Amino acid sequence: MVLVPPRHYCIVQNPVKRDDKGEVITNKQDQVQLAYGEEEIRTEGPPFPLYPGEVLKLPPTPLSIVPPQTALRLEAIRDLDDKGTHRSAGDEWL
């Protein structure tokens, strides 16, 4: 079981696929379906198990705090829609 304390996060590689209700998707042999090559950032919450095939890429780590009068420069690693703004892989913004 992985426990992520308050104000921490972890990264899970090859996370399980979930349906609209948040339930884990399984195949005919009751094996969990994985999203290979994907990464999922998980924040504080109840402890969770790592399903077979999932990898804890980054253990629970404290969140970075952005000091006043500063900003983070973000770079998209894949195409996405951010609140109505389309961002392409490689785009940078504050």
Side-chain angles (χ1 to χ4, degrees):
M1 299 296 282
V2 179
L3 173 63
V4 182
R7 295 181 301 280
H8 285 66
Y9 73 100
C10 68
I11 298 177
V12 177
Q13 192 172 14
N14 304 328
V16 294
K17 293 181 182 179
R18 297 183 182 272
D19 61 13
D20 295 335
K21 298 177 186 175
E23 299 294 323
V24 175
I25 298 174
T26 57
N27 61 15
K28 295 176 186 175
Q29 291 82 24
D30 279 338
Q31 295 178 337
V32 294
Q33 300 264 327
L34 300 176
Y36 289 104
E38 297 290 327
E39 292 180 349
E40 182 176 279
I41 298 172
R42 297 184 186 174
T43 57
E44 64 181 286
F48 61 89
L50 284 178
Y51 289 94
E54 286 186 321
V55 177
L56 189 61
K57 181 177 179 182
L58 182 70
T61 306
L63 290 169
S64 299
I65 298 174
V66 181
Q69 303 298 320
T70 62
L72 289 177
R73 188 169 83 188
L74 303 174
E75 181 179 358
I77 58 173
R78 67 178 77 172
D79 293 350
L80 67 113
D81 288 317
D82 180 29
K83 298 178 184 173
T85 304
H86 178 74
R87 309 241 187 235
S88 299
D91 286 354
E92 294 182 355
W93 69 98
L94 295 178

